Every structure is written in C-alpha cells, then in structure tokens.
Amino acid sequence: MFKSIMEWVDARLPVSDLIKSQATEYPTPKNLNYWWNFGSLALFVLIVMLATGLFLAMHYKPDANLAFDSVEHIMRDVNFGWLLRYLHANGATFFFVCVYIHILRGMYYGSHRSPREILWWFGVIIFFALMGTAFMGYVLPWGQMSYWGAAVITNLVSAIPVVGEELVVWILGGFSVGDPTLNRFFVLHFLFPFVVFGLVILHMWALHAVHSNNPDGIDVHEGKDTLPFHPYYTIKDLYGVGVFLMVYLAFVFFAPNFFLEPDNYIPADPMKTPAHIVPEWYFLPFYAILRSIDFLGSFSKLAGVVAMGGAIAILFILPWLDRSPVRSFRYRPLSRQLFWVFVLDCFVLGWVGYNPADATLFDGALPLIVIGRTATAVYFSYFVGLWLVTVLKIEKPKPLPKSI
Amino acid sequence: MAIEAEENRRDFLILATSVVGLGGVAGAAWPFIRSWSPSADVLAQATTEVDISALQEGQMITVPWQGKPVFVLKRTAEQIASAREGDKVKLPDPNPPSKDAERVKRPEYLVVLAVCSHLGCVPQPIGTGDFGGFLCPCHGSHYDTSGRIRQGPAPANLTVPDYDFKDDGNTLVIGKAVG
Ligand code: HEM
Ligand code: FES
C-alpha cells in the first residue's frame, strides 16, 4: 500500500530520489568527529526557536505600553508560558554556542577553503542574520536592558558620515526608541528566522554540491572513505541532540535566568539609563572591540563601529587569507597555536566587554581599556598572522596522510 | 551586418526595458521606505512646556521632549564659573555652540539634551562626572557644567535644543512648533 502510494508520487515528483541522494545515501566522510555535530545541532535549535517563537507570538503584544506586561502575563498566566519563554530565551544562548563552535570548527579544519567558499559565505551571512534576529528579539520584553541596548545599538548607525543621523530617525520611526521601533522590531524578529531558514537551505545546497570536509582536511575518495549518511550519521547526530538537550534543558529548568539580566525585569524607562549596560554574552567580544577604539578623537565612534563590523566581515575573506597548501590545522603546528591564541583572545574580549568601560585592575594600575585595545589588536592579528605565516611559507606543514 | 544590427537593437531594448523596470520598482519601494519615517503624531510632539518657577539653585530636573530626556539645571555661581573656565581650554568638540555664553540663553539655566553623543545613553545627573558635570555611565564620557564633552569616547557636546522662556521666565518651552 505505502509502496504503491510512493510510486504514484515519485512518478510525479521524485521525492524518494531526493531523500536517497541527499539524505539516506548521501556519502559522508567516515572520520568526522564530534565537532561535526554542531551544524545539525544549530538546525535543531533553529527549529526549536521557530516553534517556541510562534507560540509566544500568540500571547505577546508589540506595544510600548503593553509589551512588558504581556511577557509577565506569559510567565504567570499562560499555560506553560514560562516554559515557552525560557526555552526561547535560553535557546538563543545555545544557538550561539552551537554556531560559534560550528564556525571555529570550520576555521580549525579549513572547511572554508576551496571549494567551500560559497558554503562558508552563506554561513557568515547566516551569522549576521542571526545576530540581527537576536538583537531585535531582546528588545521585545521592553525591560531596561531591552530599551537601552536598542538605544545604544541603533545609535551606532549615526556614526555613518552625512546621512547617519537621519538614518537613525528612520530606523527608529521617531526621535528616540519608542513604540514604532518596538512594533517594527517585532515584525522583523518574526520574519528573520524564516529568512535564516531559507539561507540554511542554500547553505545545505552548497554543502551537498561540494560535500563535507573532514578532520584531516584532505579530499576523500567516494566509496572507500565514505559512509552513507543513514544510519551512520543520523544516529550520531541524534546522539548529539540527546547530549545537547541535557545541557540546554538543565539551564531551562534549573537556572533559567542564568543568562538573563536582572535589569531586564525592570520596565523600560526612557528617562534613565541603567548604571551598567551589558549586551547579551554572545555580543560581548564585539562590544569590547567597539569600546576599545577610543583614542582617535572624533573618529573614534566611526572607527569603533567599523572595527566591530569588520571583526565579523573579515570572515568573508578568510578563505583567501589562508595560503597554506594544507587545509586542516592538524598538520599545521604554527597555525594551530595561532588558533588557540585567537580563541583565548575571544574570551578575554568577552570578559572586557562584560566589565564597565572605566574599570581597572590592580587598584587602578591597569585600566581595562588597555587590555581591550590589546585584545582587539590580537584579534585582527590572527588573520594577518595566518596570512603571513602561510604566504611567506614560515610554517612547514606535517606530511598529509594518503587517505582518511 | 543585418544580424549585428538586430543584436544591437535587442541589447538596447533589453537595457531600456530593464532601466524602466528598475525605475518602476524603485518608485514602488518609496512608500514602503517612507512608512518607516516618523509619523505625523510623532512629529506633533514638537514642543514641551515646563514650569521652572520652583527650581532651586543647583537643582536639576529631567523632562521628556520628543521622547528624549532633557536636563534643565539651575546653575550655581560656581557651576557658571567652572563653565566659563572651560572656555579657555582646548575642547574636544570646538564646533559652535561651544563657548558657555553661546550654549545658554540665561547663564543660570543650562538646557541640554540628555543624550550622550557617543551612543545615546542618558548621562547621570550634575556632579557625577569629573569637571563637575555629567558622567555618561555607558562608556565613561565626562561632560562639564556647560554640557561640553571633556573626556571619553563621545565625539560631541550635548546638544542644546531650541528653547525659550515665557511668563517672566517661569515657564520653559523646549522645541519649535513645526508647520
Ligand atoms: C543557523 C545556523 C547554521 C545552521 C543551521 C548550519 C547548518 C549546517 C549543517 C547541518 C551542516 C552540515 C553538518 C556539519 O558539517 O556540521 C553545515 C556545514 C557547514 N557550515 Fe553551517 N550552519 C549554520 C551556520 C553556519 C555559520 C555561521 C558558518 C560559518 C560562518 C557555517 C559554516 C559551515 C561550513 C564551512 C560547513 C561545511 C562543514 C564541513 O564540511 O566541514 N555554518 N552547516
Ligand atoms: S553612550 Fe555615553 S559614553 Fe557611550
């Protein structure tokens, strides 16, 4: 019965063919390690976010006078509203965990290098879209952090010469963050994840055109070096989802506010800025870069914004900065060291971004801003350094295996 | 020859059609883009009137104007003197109005937009910053008693809005009526 139905469908739309060639029998390198789980995990979180977000939107009110209360209404009155909200709020955190690991995986194993540049670009575009989505979502509860985060970030636009000021007014729909801003952010926050979903399909299309890289970073021989995706990787990805859910749900059920700011439970007050504005943790390194550029007088603001955007946009050209004949850092001792310095540096930047701008260490002997500037320099030096050690052939790669 | 002319003709037609088409799309996009600009009711909140008759020397109030906070400070003699001192140093933002006399209509009243020129936070009340003025807590910008940037990442002085006094100086009118 089922078979004959499928035959009828396949004669009209070749569904079985697509499932076979792109999923069940899709050839996958047999040596993928657990770092390769984070792509499917990111997709899993995206689906969780779409589902919880959709149902939250059925109770939320995008109105400056009602928004804060409607979130409290969701938390207190709506059946399982607290669960939907905590899943969604913590989901954003774990989305970034997955995507950061996913990106670093690509940087370490050279997954961005030829022929995967377009695949990589879609990834970076997804990352930008994700940041925009997360930012606008954080505005919706209309607490103090929502409001002032929105004020600070939209103000970045005013750094653009000539048209900046007018552009901010246009984006806000007023002279300050207000009801029109909240309303349009809500609509865009609703829309963006579906755009991201479309981008993920393009990302997967590009992946399936060139196939997965692998921890050795060498080209694989189909058949000898590959396994059908099902059951080998369906099982492995599902196992990853299980482990992931344990961590994610531990936060949702036992420490749901760990990543949230207490100040965001105070309703937005346009007349009063909280003493210390902190963005969500996943923006901290970039926030630190923004604040570190404060020594260029009236150019500081524009330069800070450019540096912050550039810190991410530089990923677009990473495939061409790395000139080594070898993809994977497994066989590149020097690049590997640079990589770990880079990862550490991102944590330092995050820590600097978390602290107040005028904080100091050792009783004022060491202003944090100095650490921030240094860490910013190190961040960009990674990319320059990687280019230098490969273009000048300073690094001697270890011999590559003949096959995986 | 005839074929070449035919091709040129086609190229021209395709180009012309595309240009007209794009122009049409741009024109159609305009209402959508403009719908994001401040609407009539937002623009209508152009002015705010504040009763300042009860304001004591050294006292500061924050009043909303166009959804933005405005500091109204009745300055003490020292605060005025300190602002005049500031006229003598090299300021990070020397663009007018930067002399204290240009920034106030009456020396005892300082009226400035409480929006940090860095990224738009509200600076803290008078007396919190170095130079006796306002400290912006977000990224550590210090403004003096004339609302001028003296230290920190902010590129410009606090904006002096359009304002006027009426009722013998008992009422402050912030903003200009539009239209
Ligand atoms: C919503 C976010 C994302 C989702 C759902 C997603 C999903 C996936 C999936 C399912 C895979 C295949 C499995 C794997 O290799 O892990 C993949 C591969 C890949 N992704 Fe993503 N991705 C996302 C964001 C990104 C970002 C931000 C980047 C880089 C900036 C990126 C770069 C890559 C690369 C280079 C590959 C090929 C991996 C390889 O074969 O080594 N992805 N992605
Ligand atoms: S917003 Fe005031 S110092 Fe940055």
Side-chain angles (χ1 to χ4, degrees):
Chain A
M1 173 65 180
F2 180 69
K3 206 162 163 233
S4 62
I5 293 177
M6 269 331 279
E7 266 164 22
W8 185 89
V9 173
D10 280 334
R12 285 150 185 88
L13 184 74
V15 178
S16 303
D17 259 8
L18 185 80
I19 293 176
K20 250 195 210 140
S21 67
Q22 300 306 319
T24 53
E25 287 171 22
Y26 176 70
T28 317
K30 62 185 180 186
N31 64 338
L32 298 189
N33 57 27
Y34 279 115
W35 299 115
W36 262 258
N37 275 58
F38 288 90
S40 70
L41 284 179
L43 182 59
F44 175 75
V45 186
L46 179 60
I47 293 166
V48 170
M49 297 303 274
L50 287 171
T52 53
L54 206 60
F55 280 81
L56 284 171
M58 296 174 190
H59 302 280
Y60 173 80
K61 298 199 168 55
D63 179 311
N65 291 319
L66 307 174
F68 186 89
D69 290 347
S70 76
V71 172
E72 284 312 305
H73 158 73
I74 289 170
M75 292 296 289
R76 298 168 197 213
D77 306 335
V78 174
N79 296 312
F80 291 104
W82 58 272
L83 183 60
L84 291 175
R85 170 157 182 258
Y86 281 150
L87 280 173
H88 198 77
N90 287 284
T93 271
F94 285 95
F95 208 152
F96 279 92
V97 170
C98 290
V99 167
Y100 280 140
I101 296 178
H102 190 64
I103 295 175
L104 288 170
R105 185 281 319 265
M107 290 169 68
Y108 187 90
Y109 293 112
S111 298
H112 51 82
R113 311 246 344 244
S114 173
R116 298 187 178 84
E117 299 95 325
I118 294 187
L119 166 63
W120 177 254
W121 281 346
F122 279 127
V124 181
I125 295 170
I126 288 170
F127 183 45
F128 269 113
L130 205 59
M131 295 184 93
T133 308
F135 161 65
M136 288 188 289
Y138 194 60
V139 176
L140 302 184
W142 212 239
Q144 273 290 66
M145 281 297 168
S146 302
Y147 187 91
W148 290 101
V152 168
I153 300 299
T154 51
N155 237 289
L156 293 179
V157 177
S158 72
I160 298 170
V162 190
V163 291
E165 301 286 345
E166 300 227 359
L167 213 53
V168 176
V169 172
W170 180 74
I171 290 172
L172 297 178
F175 303 100
S176 53
V177 177
D179 193 58
T181 324
L182 175 61
N183 217 321
R184 64 188 58 173
F185 277 17
F186 171 64
V187 173
L188 294 180
H189 182 71
F190 202 128
L191 172 71
F192 266 38
F194 292 92
V195 175
V196 167
F197 201 83
L199 288 166
V200 170
I201 290 173
L202 294 177
H203 190 65
M204 301 305 295
W205 182 17
L207 173 71
H208 284 225
V210 294
H211 289 182
S212 285
N213 182 31
N214 65 79
D216 281 332
I218 55 176
D219 294 332
V220 297
H221 308 286
E222 200 173 318
K224 190 159 74 71
D225 295 339
T226 60
L227 294 169
F229 193 81
H230 181 73
Y232 296 95
Y233 284 103
T234 38
I235 279 299
K236 190 174 177 180
D237 279 347
L238 265 180
Y239 173 71
V241 168
V243 175
F244 171 81
L245 276 177
M246 288 201 281
V247 181
Y248 171 39
L249 294 183
F251 276 98
V252 168
F253 288 116
F254 299 107
N257 285 305
F258 183 83
F259 294 105
L260 303 181
E261 283 295 324
D263 268 5
N264 222 25
Y265 285 102
I266 303 170
D269 180 357
M271 296 296 124
K272 198 169 162 287
T273 308
H276 181 198
I277 297 188
V278 265
E280 294 297 89
W281 70 264
Y282 37 80
F283 293 135
L284 288 175
F286 306 107
Y287 190 58
I289 291 176
L290 169 77
R291 293 195 308 189
S292 300
I293 317 273
D294 67 340
F295 46 85
L296 294 175
S298 52
F299 290 108
S300 292
K301 185 166 159 182
L302 181 57
V305 174
V306 170
M308 183 173 72
I312 303 168
I314 199 166
L315 291 177
F316 279 119
I317 57 164
L318 182 60
W320 292 273
L321 289 177
D322 189 343
R323 316 299 294 194
S324 173
V326 174
R327 286 196 194 104
S328 174
F329 286 8
R330 263 197 183 169
Y331 303 101
R332 297 170 53 182
L334 194 53
S335 301
R336 191 162 64 217
Q337 284 171 7
L338 291 179
F339 176 84
W340 287 115
V341 170
F342 175 79
V343 173
L344 186 74
D345 187 65
C346 290
F347 281 97
V348 173
L349 279 171
W351 170 75
V352 171
Y354 182 73
N355 282 286
D358 47 4
T360 55
L361 286 184
F362 311 118
D363 285 332
L366 181 58
L368 219 57
I369 189 81
V370 176
I371 304 179
R373 284 181 204 148
T374 315
T376 301
V378 171
Y379 184 96
F380 287 102
S381 305
Y382 171 74
F383 297 95
V384 179
L386 195 65
W387 176 69
L388 280 180
V389 300
T390 52
V391 80
L392 300 177
K393 302 202 167 47
I394 296 171
E395 178 177 62
K396 300 279 173 274
K398 291 197 267 181
L400 287 173
K402 286 263 174 309
S403 82
I404 60 176
Chain B
M1 203 46 210
I3 291 175
E4 208 170 281
E6 182 67 8
E7 268 184 22
N8 284 340
R9 200 175 97 92
R10 275 187 185 282
D11 286 350
F12 171 76
L13 287 174
I14 289 174
L15 191 72
T17 317
S18 312
V19 167
V20 172
L22 280 178
V25 170
W30 185 241
F32 293 88
I33 294 171
R34 277 297 285 183
S35 76
W36 267 34
S37 299
S39 53
D41 59 323
V42 172
L43 290 173
Q45 301 167 344
T47 61
T48 297
E49 294 198 5
V50 196
D51 180 359
I52 51 170
S53 57
L55 208 58
Q56 301 296 311
E57 245 184 43
Q59 195 187 357
M60 189 194 100
I61 51 172
T62 310
V63 293
W65 171 61
Q66 294 189 335
K68 285 182 283 199
V70 174
F71 284 159
V72 181
L73 167 71
K74 189 163 185 184
R75 300 193 292 186
T76 61
E78 297 96 86
Q79 284 166 337
I80 298 173
S82 141
R84 297 276 139 106
E85 273 310 297
D87 285 350
K88 296 175 192 147
V89 303
K90 193 175 164 289
L91 294 163
D93 172 22
N95 298 320
S98 70
K99 295 273 174 260
D100 188 56
E102 302 164 350
R103 297 179 57 78
V104 292
K105 289 209 163 143
R106 296 183 182 180
E108 64 273 31
Y109 288 108
L110 176 71
V111 182
V112 284
L113 261 185
V115 178
C116 180
S117 64
H118 183 227
L119 293 174
C121 289
V122 178
Q124 287 169 351
I126 188 76
T128 47
D130 303 352
F131 310 97
F134 318 91
L135 166 69
C136 179
C138 291
H139 316 96
S141 289
H142 295 265
Y143 296 92
D144 66 12
T145 55
S146 195
R148 291 171 299 204
I149 179 67
R150 299 294 287 273
Q151 190 191 314
N157 300 331
L158 294 180
T159 307
V160 179
D162 274 312
Y163 66 88
D164 234 322
F165 298 95
K166 64 176 203 188
D167 308 334
D168 299 330
N170 285 327
T171 306
L172 173 69
V173 186
I174 308 172
K176 246 199 214 135
V178 279

